[in-house]
């Protein structure tokens, strides 16, 4: 077939993003395009070879397969392929073959990259990296290391309180950190000095060790500013040390936060921390949908939005635990309340049920059981009142099965690892997302490390977990479209949670299991897997970009529903997206499917 430049120009002018390009940019591009005739069953390019450029189907049909020879897409006229390889070192990440006689247009690699530089429309369409949106700095996007004072006032544990007080006076600060060598020991504030020294009449030569708060709450430099504000509001404190590997690296005080406007979640956490009943908290949590809409509108990234929303749930849980203990009395033995599911991963959105469990110290006896039954019922009922509805699968601490002493939990995990039947795989998947919320956190540390070590060493268990993680697949139709739900109230929709977010959550969990990573958050797991080599940088970045796009699309959909006065859900009608958005979302699903295929063929560690 012979095609003139004018015919190619006319053809491309009806395809996005070329229809958005200026003619003086598009026409020189068209003049470089090469026309290729491809016979039936002819391979256009094999896997892992240098690409000549990007291809556009003019007529015919092209099948694209991944590195495991799994069919990804069946492309027709107006569809492009090969661009991902050009964006990733110029090597083909797929193979392409004609299923019938076809005509394809080849845009040379040099001109492809020139177009990326010269045309914003072209760049937005093909360069899918999800980067942080630039906006006005606030606590939701500012890391603690940018807020903290890097050289806090310090003294040794043996320093007397009068000397410490003079140091604070001379430095014009309201706290002093106590260190021994590089090790952080504790903190003393003006309130401690007035209450314990002056109020109790202690001698001025009393060592600061006897006055300081040992093992106070601290945060790492990687935390975000809202973590500081929420902790201050909930714990009613004004100073938070910043530590890394047990070493003091800074401190954040209320003064450090004055230049920032407090995000609305801080008010919500504060209101919850001062609430006297679940009904009072429910008035606060009812504002979560509007909070989501505001955060999406502000351009915040999805992991920031879900983290802030989860902070509200965490605060509600801890306040309910406090109220329960006030009503029931002090616990007879130590316990730990943990969240799993989306709260455990700090990924809650505008619609969430509750998933939780209770670890109890092995000193528990039958006589203690009624106390913890009442505690669990109080908290689970309270969360339900707050809008975190009861788990449909009854995975809650109010269920005796998920309210047990540590010896029983060890038996649970050992049984799931040694006998990986379908139920064990499902339960293990849920429990690998556990995160402590309130109580004796040390109860979890040893069990988590022990379980990760045993699970990763059991190849049969890992293989079953991998198989289980591939059950949720992206909603891809072969003909460059989506496989939508076929019946029911959500007919012709796609489920952005079950078939979009969940497949990535499952993949990240496997990478974390294989590398014995302790992170529960999906984005954190992906980043950690890349950092330790459990996931290739190229494959990991592709998957992270795809996850970002799907997660942001989900939140934008929910925010639009909130603005329309509709309860947020996860079901999106593809026709509600623009051609540009549909293309991006589908490409993200293709990346996820490719990574699932790689994991299923035993290359999960390579991405």
């Amino acid at each position: 077939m012979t095609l003139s430049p004018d015919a190619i120009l006319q053809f491309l002018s009806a395809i996005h993003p070329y229809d958005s390009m200026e003619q003086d940019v598009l026409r020189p591009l068209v003049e470089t395009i090469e026309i290729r005739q491809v016979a039936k069953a002819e391979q256009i390019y094999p896997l892992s070879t240098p690409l000549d450029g990007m291809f556009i189907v003019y007529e015919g049909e092209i099948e694209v397969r991944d590195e495991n020879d799994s069919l990804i897409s069946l492309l027709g006229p107006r569809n492009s392929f090969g661009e991902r390889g050009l964006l990733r070192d110029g090597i083909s990440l797929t193979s392409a073959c004609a299923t019938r006689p076809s005509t394809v247009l080849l845009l040379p690699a040099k001109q492809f990259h020139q177009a990326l530089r010269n045309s914003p429309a072209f760049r937005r369409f093909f360069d899918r990296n999800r980067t942080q949106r630039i906006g006005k700095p606030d606590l939701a996007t500012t890391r603690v290391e940018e807020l903290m004072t890097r050289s806090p006032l310090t003294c040794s544990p043996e320093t007397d309180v009068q000397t410490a007080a003079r140091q604070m006076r001379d430095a014009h600060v309201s706290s002093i950190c106590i260190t021994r060598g590089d090790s952080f020991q504790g903190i003393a504030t003006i309130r401690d000095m007035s209450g314990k020294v002056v109020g109790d009449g202690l001698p001025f030569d009393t060592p600061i060790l006897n006055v300081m708060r040992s093992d106070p709450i601290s945060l790492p430099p990687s935390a975000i500013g809202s973590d500081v504000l929420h902790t201050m509001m909930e714990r009613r404190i004004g100073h938070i040390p910043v530590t890394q590997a047990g070493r003091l690296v800074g401190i954040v005080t209320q003064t450090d936060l004055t230049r920032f406007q407090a995000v609305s979640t801080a008010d919500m956490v504060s209101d919850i921390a001062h609430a006297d009943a679940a009904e009072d908290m429910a008035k606060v949590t009812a504002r979560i949908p509007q909070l989501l809409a505001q955060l999406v509108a502000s351009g915040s990234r999805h992991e920031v939005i879900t983290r802030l929303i989860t902070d509200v749930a965490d605060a509600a849980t801890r306040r309910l635990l406090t109220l329960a203990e006030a009503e029931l009395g002090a616990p007879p033995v130590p316990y730990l309340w943990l969240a799993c599911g989306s709260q455990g991963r700090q990924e809650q959105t505008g619609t969430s049920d509750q998933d939780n469990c209770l670890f109890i110290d092995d000193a528990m006896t039958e006589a203690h059981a009624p106390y913890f039954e009442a505690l669990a019922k109080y908290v689970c009922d309270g969360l339900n009142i707050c809008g975190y509805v009861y788990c449909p699968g009854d995975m809650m601490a109010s269920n005796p099965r998920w309210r047990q002493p540590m010896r029983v939990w060890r038996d649970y995990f050992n049984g799931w690892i040694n006998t990986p039947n379908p139920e064990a795989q499902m339960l293990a998947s849920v429990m690998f997302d556990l995160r402590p919320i309130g109580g004796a956190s040390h109860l979890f540390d040893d069990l988590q490390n022990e379980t990760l070590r045993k699970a990763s060493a059991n190849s049969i268990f890992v293989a079953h977990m991998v198989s289980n993680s591939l059950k949720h697949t992206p909603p891809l139709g072969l003909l460059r479209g989506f496989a939508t739900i076929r019946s029911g109230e959500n007919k012709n929709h796609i489920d952005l949670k079950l078939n979009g977010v969940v497949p990535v959550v499952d993949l990240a969990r496997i990478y974390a299991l294989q590398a014995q990573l302790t992170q529960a958050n999906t984005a954190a797991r992906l980043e950690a897997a890349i950092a330790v080599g459990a996931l290739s940088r190229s494959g990991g970045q592709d998957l992270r970009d795809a996850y970002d796009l799907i997660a942001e699309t989900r939140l934008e959909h929910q925010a639009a529903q909130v603005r329309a006065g509709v309860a947020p859900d996860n079901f999106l009608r593809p026709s509600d997206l623009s051609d540009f958005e549909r293309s991006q979302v589908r490409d993200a699903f293709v990346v996820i499917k490719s990574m699932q295929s790689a994991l299923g063929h035993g290359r999960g560690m390579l991405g």
Side-chain angles (χ1 to χ4, degrees), residues 260-277:
F260 289 94
Q261 288 290 329
V263 295
S264 56
T265 44
D267 293 331
M268 296 171 71
V269 168
S270 178
D271 290 344
I272 287 173
H274 292 82
D276 294 322

Side-chain angles (χ1 to χ4, degrees), residues 409-421 423-425 427-429 432 447-465 513:
W409 280 104
R410 284 192 169 84
D411 288 343
Y412 282 168
F413 279 99
N414 287 335
W416 296 334
I417 293 169
N418 296 328
T419 311
N421 57 45
E423 184 191 37
Q425 296 165 34
L427 294 174
S429 294
F432 277 126
L447 178 64
Q448 183 188 38
N449 294 330
E450 173 187 326
T451 300
L452 282 173
R453 186 173 60 254
K454 290 180 179 179
S456 62
N458 189 322
S459 59
I460 296 176
F461 174 77
V462 173
H464 280 279
M465 286 288 288
L513 171 61

Side-chain angles (χ1 to χ4, degrees), residues 124-151:
R124 282 195 303 270
F125 188 81
F126 287 112
D127 190 353
R128 307 288 163 73
N129 290 329
R130 309 295 291 177
T131 55
Q132 174 68 56
R133 299 168 184 172
I134 299 174
K136 182 180 178 181
D138 59 34
L139 292 180
T141 57
T142 303
R143 290 166 64 101
V144 165
E145 62 186 357
E146 299 174 21
L147 294 170
M148 69 185 187
T149 299
R150 294 183 178 273
S151 300

Side-chain angles (χ1 to χ4, degrees), residues 73-358:
S73 293
L74 200 59
L75 307 179
R78 298 159 55 96
N79 295 151
S80 302
F81 58 100
E83 66 270 18
R84 277 188 61 225
L86 290 179
L87 291 168
R88 298 289 187 203
D89 302 322
I91 303 298
S92 63
L93 304 178
T94 56
S95 62
C97 180
T99 61
R100 63 174 188 239
S102 303
T103 302
V104 297
L105 308 178
L106 171 65
L107 177 62
K110 179 180 178 180
Q111 279 68 36
F112 174 84
H113 289 291
Q114 284 180 348
L116 284 177
R117 292 192 297 270
N118 299 332
S119 171
F122 195 89
R123 182 169 57 253
R124 282 195 303 270
F125 188 81
F126 287 112
D127 190 353
R128 307 288 163 73
N129 290 329
R130 309 295 291 177
T131 55
Q132 174 68 56
R133 299 168 184 172
I134 299 174
K136 182 180 178 181
D138 59 34
L139 292 180
T141 57
T142 303
R143 290 166 64 101
V144 165
E145 62 186 357
E146 299 174 21
L147 294 170
M148 69 185 187
T149 299
R150 294 183 178 273
S151 300
L153 184 67
T154 63
C155 68
S156 69
E158 293 76 22
T159 302
D160 63 78
V161 294
Q162 185 176 48
T163 300
R166 286 173 175 168
Q167 286 181 258
M168 293 165 62
R169 178 199 64 194
D170 295 340
H172 304 288
V173 296
S174 55
S175 66
I176 189 167
C177 293
I178 294 84
T179 59
R180 188 183 296 281
D182 290 335
S183 175
F184 174 59
Q185 303 289 305
I187 187 173
T189 66
I190 287 179
R191 183 186 299 177
D192 297 320
M193 294 291 194
S194 62
K196 297 178 182 179
V197 180
V198 179
D200 293 341
L202 293 179
F204 287 167
D205 61 354
T206 300
I208 196 73
L209 175 68
N210 298 340
V211 174
M212 72 178 189
R213 280 174 285 157
S214 59
D215 196 26
I217 295 171
S218 63
L219 290 171
S222 59
I224 56 177
S226 58
D227 292 336
V228 176
L229 190 56
H230 291 174
T231 302
M232 287 181 174
M233 291 287 189
E234 184 179 356
R235 307 287 183 171
R236 305 182 191 182
I237 57 178
H239 307 76
I240 298 182
V242 182
T243 60
Q244 193 164 41
R247 185 172 59 88
L248 180 71
V249 295
I251 190 169
V252 182
T253 70
Q254 288 180 331
T255 302
D256 295 319
L257 303 182
T258 55
R259 69 181 184 276
F260 289 94
Q261 288 290 329
V263 295
S264 56
T265 44
D267 293 331
M268 296 171 71
V269 168
S270 178
D271 290 344
I272 287 173
H274 292 82
D276 294 322
E279 288 76 11
D280 297 327
M281 286 182 252
K283 297 175 183 177
V284 180
T285 56
R287 307 202 305 261
I288 286 178
Q290 191 58 44
L291 168 68
L292 181 146
Q294 291 172 350
L295 291 171
V296 171
S298 72
S300 298
R301 285 181 61 89
H302 69 91
E303 65 265 37
V304 171
I305 296 173
T306 55
R307 173 70 171 273
L308 295 175
I309 291 174
T310 305
D311 281 352
V312 178
D314 289 356
T317 304
R318 283 191 288 266
R319 184 57 180 164
L320 287 167
L321 287 169
T322 299
L323 294 174
E325 289 187 20
E327 182 173 305
L328 301 172
V333 296
Y335 72 86
L336 177 62
W337 188 281
L338 303 100
C340 43
S342 59
Q343 185 183 2
R345 297 189 305 273
Q346 296 180 298
E347 294 168 5
Q348 287 190 315
T349 65
T351 171
S352 297
D353 58 8
Q354 58 174 290
D355 297 281
N356 46 62
C357 61
L358 195 59

Side-chain angles (χ1 to χ4, degrees), residues 265-538:
T265 44
D267 293 331
M268 296 171 71
V269 168
S270 178
D271 290 344
I272 287 173
H274 292 82
D276 294 322
E279 288 76 11
D280 297 327
M281 286 182 252
K283 297 175 183 177
V284 180
T285 56
R287 307 202 305 261
I288 286 178
Q290 191 58 44
L291 168 68
L292 181 146
Q294 291 172 350
L295 291 171
V296 171
S298 72
S300 298
R301 285 181 61 89
H302 69 91
E303 65 265 37
V304 171
I305 296 173
T306 55
R307 173 70 171 273
L308 295 175
I309 291 174
T310 305
D311 281 352
V312 178
D314 289 356
T317 304
R318 283 191 288 266
R319 184 57 180 164
L320 287 167
L321 287 169
T322 299
L323 294 174
E325 289 187 20
E327 182 173 305
L328 301 172
V333 296
Y335 72 86
L336 177 62
W337 188 281
L338 303 100
C340 43
S342 59
Q343 185 183 2
R345 297 189 305 273
Q346 296 180 298
E347 294 168 5
Q348 287 190 315
T349 65
T351 171
S352 297
D353 58 8
Q354 58 174 290
D355 297 281
N356 46 62
C357 61
L358 195 59
F359 286 10
I360 308 172
D361 191 275
D362 279 335
M364 175 190 177
T365 66
E366 283 299 318
H368 301 147
Y371 177 93
F372 290 108
E373 179 181 3
L375 177 86
K377 185 178 187 305
Y378 188 103
V379 178
C380 290
D381 287 349
L383 289 172
N384 185 66
I385 291 171
C386 291
Y388 305 102
V389 298
Y390 298 122
C391 173
D394 203 20
M395 188 163 282
M396 298 178 292
S398 54
N399 181 342
R401 186 180 186 186
W402 310 124
R403 185 180 68 246
Q404 294 290 338
M406 294 306 301
R407 58 182 177 274
V408 175
W409 280 104
R410 284 192 169 84
D411 288 343
Y412 282 168
F413 279 99
N414 287 335
W416 296 334
I417 293 169
N418 296 328
T419 311
N421 57 45
E423 184 191 37
Q425 296 165 34
M426 182 275 292
L427 294 174
S429 294
V430 173
M431 292 302 170
F432 277 126
D433 294 348
L434 285 175
R435 183 172 59 89
I437 301 298
S441 59
H442 71 273
L443 294 176
F444 179 61
D445 294 339
D446 291 343
L447 178 64
Q448 183 188 38
N449 294 330
E450 173 187 326
T451 300
L452 282 173
R453 186 173 60 254
K454 290 180 179 179
S456 62
N458 189 322
S459 59
I460 296 176
F461 174 77
V462 173
H464 280 279
M465 286 288 288
V466 168
S467 177
N468 188 63
S469 73
L470 303 179
K471 290 181 178 178
H472 299 107
T473 57
L476 286 169
L478 286 180
L479 299 176
R480 198 63 181 173
F482 297 99
T484 58
I485 299 170
R486 295 185 176 182
S487 60
E489 61 178 323
N490 296 310
K491 182 179 180 181
N492 297 326
H493 291 69
I494 56 176
D495 188 336
L496 289 172
K497 177 183 178 182
L498 192 64
N499 300 113
V501 171
V502 168
V504 185
V505 169
D506 290 342
L507 286 170
R509 187 184 297 113
I510 295 298
Y511 300 139
L513 171 61
Q514 291 173 325
Q516 299 184 45
L517 304 173
T518 58
Q519 290 88 346
N521 177 265
T522 298
R525 280 172 166 169
L526 294 177
E527 291 176 359
I530 294 171
V532 300
L535 185 58
S536 74
R537 184 159 298 279
S538 176

Side-chain angles (χ1 to χ4, degrees), residues 44-53 55 85-86 89-93 109:
I44 299 171
Y45 58 78
L47 180 72
S48 301
T49 56
L51 284 166
D52 296 331
F55 296 86
L86 290 179
D89 302 322
I91 303 298
S92 63
L93 304 178

